[in-house]
Amino acid sequence: MTDTRQHILATGRALVARRGYTGVGLSELLREAGVPKGSFYHFFKSKEAFGCALLDSFVEGYAEDLAATLDAPGLNGRARLMAYFEGWRTRQSGEAYEARCLVVKLSAEVAELSPGMTEVLARGVSSITARLASVIREGAADGSLPAHDDASALAVTLYQIWLGASLMGALSRDTIPYDSAMAATAALIDRKGPTA
Amino acid sequence: MTDTRQHILATGRALVARRGYTGVGLSELLREAGVPKGSFYHFFKSKEAFGCALLDSFVEGYAEDLAATLDAPGLNGRARLMAYFEGWRTRQSGEAYEARCLVVKLSAEVAELSPGMTEVLARGVSSITARLASVIREGAADGSLPAHDDASALAVTLYQIWLGASLMGALSRDTIPYDSAMAATAALIDRKGPTA
DNA sequence: CGCCCCACTAGACGACCGGTCTAATCGGCC
DNA sequence: GGCCGATTAGACCGGTCGTCTAGTGGGGCG
């Protein structure tokens, strides 16, 4: 069955979102998934290959969610952008580990560990910031946002703010950093002139 | 000798900055440090206690560096702030792992793993942002920065940007995210009005 | 209807993990 | 010189790590 593979990935995602990549052992993962250890190496050639597959499926799923939020019909560009960040805050400060962003959780850990996983994350990040930049341009076109002369740079800055807020939120275990990020986001997108 | 303890901490810092907390085993650490395992448990009651001590010494050392940079005589507030972020970029994108920021490296990993280590990092972060906020106020007083009505909020936003930039820099392995953060920093501190 | 083949399962394996313990050794103080 | 606490040495334990080699069973083809 190929959905044994899917099941391992889904179980792994929640586990890795909580304990990190190095922190999750095969034994724990497979016990949790109810899958015998032998099967694992049938579906993945190594733990790192599993990690890459996990991130691939995360990035893919994220892109779909992103499309659903940022292409929501009937909302102007600004509202769609703010909805995205509201969603970020909700997921990242909620209880559900499987909803947490793996870029936040794994970037630092994986950067020196696995070039393959790093690459998948890096591609995911740049596609997110690219999509954010185009929504900023759409907001300028529909009049909901001022014209920003470098939408890409603004998108990167916003994404950096939210990554940083997520790190701080993990440390403080409250939503204050996200509230701060939300305020900064609103201030940045609504004001004219060179921002980044 | 108490400086065996210091030596273990110094060795551990470089190792942990590269491989992460979970990724560094006692055996590797002690082999690297040339210290027998028996000594480790004389100085630290557990690996987690070692982790807390490591972060304590990091935070303490960081505070000293911070003071040296942010209290540099003969520079106005704005110049001191920018010097701090220049230093961040240099250290974080350089080769020397022992110079890397452990808040960036460990926040996500440690948050769900060790309340003690999380607490040390959280305190460190809030003392940094508090110090940045006061430099922003000093800059307003000496005329090098406009008056920001909420210096604390601006300081948090700047810190978030740099945390996020560091995560992105780890993924992309270039300085582009830091350059972006630097531009955003300059834009944010130099403009009037509510920013965050 | 039977056989065979390959996707999948089962768990043994050696290395090493974090953590503990006892015995040996060191060094300062009387 | 001799003693005692501080430090070092490393064997040892139960457990987990990632890997790998046998085995099994069910679907497809003859």
Side-chain angles (χ1 to χ4, degrees):
Chain A
M1 300 282 197
T2 249
D3 57 26
T4 296
R5 190 187 135 101
Q6 288 306 315
H7 178 61
I8 296 174
L9 286 173
T11 306
R13 175 163 169 188
L15 238 27
V16 166
R18 184 157 68 241
R19 302 205 206 294
Y21 174 75
T22 307
V24 174
L26 271 336
S27 304
E28 178 185 15
L29 166 63
L30 296 169
R31 198 186 316 124
E32 187 84 9
V35 167
K37 189 181 263 190
S39 302
F40 182 86
Y41 281 90
H42 173 69
F43 293 109
F44 307 102
K45 82 172 213 290
S46 68
K47 193 194 183 191
E48 190 192 357
F50 162 74
C52 291
L54 180 67
L55 292 182
D56 270 327
S57 85
F58 167 71
V59 166
E60 187 189 352
Y62 199 96
E64 286 168 19
D65 290 354
L66 207 59
T69 306
L70 292 183
D71 300 339
L75 293 175
N76 62 37
R78 185 185 191 283
R80 283 178 279 138
L81 206 54
M82 293 305 276
Y84 168 67
F85 289 117
E86 284 290 356
W88 185 321
R89 165 163 63 181
T90 301
R91 281 192 306 275
Q92 206 65 23
S93 62
E95 303 287 328
Y97 286 102
E98 69 276 12
R100 299 259 177 111
C101 176
L102 295 183
V103 174
V104 171
K105 184 69 186 184
L106 298 183
S107 289
E109 178 182 356
V110 142
E112 298 293 327
L113 187 67
S114 161
M117 293 175 71
T118 303
E119 169 73 12
V120 175
L121 284 175
R123 278 185 198 282
V125 165
S126 72
S127 80
I128 293 166
T129 56
R131 188 69 195 89
L132 291 177
S134 60
V135 176
I136 291 170
R137 286 186 208 99
E138 291 159 24
D142 69 29
S144 60
L145 292 175
H148 291 282
D149 42 55
D150 192 343
S152 296
L154 177 55
V156 167
T157 295
L158 291 175
Y159 193 74
Q160 289 178 349
I161 288 174
W162 282 87
L163 284 180
S166 300
L167 248 33
M168 289 179 65
L171 293 180
S172 68
R173 301 191 142 282
D174 59 37
T175 64
I176 295 174
Y178 302 110
D179 300 338
S180 165
M182 190 60 76
T185 298
L188 279 172
I189 64 177
D190 288 334
R191 75 187 23 252
K192 292 186 131 120
T195 309
Chain B
M1 303 280 197
T2 249
D3 58 26
T4 296
R5 190 187 136 99
Q6 288 306 314
H7 178 59
I8 296 174
L9 287 173
T11 306
R13 176 164 168 187
L15 236 28
V16 166
R18 185 159 65 239
R19 301 204 207 295
Y21 174 75
T22 306
V24 174
L26 272 333
S27 305
E28 178 186 14
L29 167 62
L30 296 169
R31 199 185 317 125
E32 187 82 10
V35 167
K37 188 183 264 191
S39 302
F40 182 87
Y41 282 90
H42 174 68
F43 293 109
F44 308 101
K45 80 172 214 291
S46 68
K47 193 193 182 192
E48 191 192 356
F50 162 73
C52 290
L54 180 67
L55 292 182
D56 270 329
S57 86
F58 167 71
V59 166
E60 186 188 353
Y62 200 95
E64 286 168 20
D65 290 354
L66 207 58
T69 305
L70 293 183
D71 300 338
L75 293 176
N76 63 37
R78 183 185 192 284
R80 283 178 279 139
L81 206 53
M82 293 304 277
Y84 168 67
F85 290 117
E86 283 290 355
W88 185 321
R89 165 164 61 181
T90 301
R91 282 193 306 276
Q92 206 65 23
S93 60
E95 304 286 328
Y97 287 103
E98 69 275 13
R100 298 261 176 112
C101 176
L102 294 184
V103 174
V104 172
K105 184 68 185 185
L106 298 183
S107 289
E109 179 182 356
V110 141
E112 299 293 327
L113 188 67
S114 162
M117 292 175 71
T118 303
E119 169 73 12
V120 175
L121 284 175
R123 279 184 198 281
V125 165
S126 72
S127 79
I128 294 166
T129 56
R131 189 68 196 89
L132 291 177
S134 60
V135 176
I136 291 170
R137 287 187 207 98
E138 290 160 25
D142 70 28
S144 61
L145 291 175
H148 291 281
D149 43 55
D150 192 341
S152 297
L154 177 55
V156 167
T157 295
L158 292 175
Y159 193 74
Q160 289 179 349
I161 287 174
W162 282 87
L163 284 180
S166 300
L167 248 34
M168 288 178 65
L171 293 181
S172 69
R173 299 192 141 283
D174 59 38
T175 65
I176 295 175
Y178 302 110
D179 299 339
S180 165
M182 191 60 76
T185 298
L188 279 172
I189 64 178
D190 289 333
R191 75 187 24 250
K192 293 186 132 125
T195 310

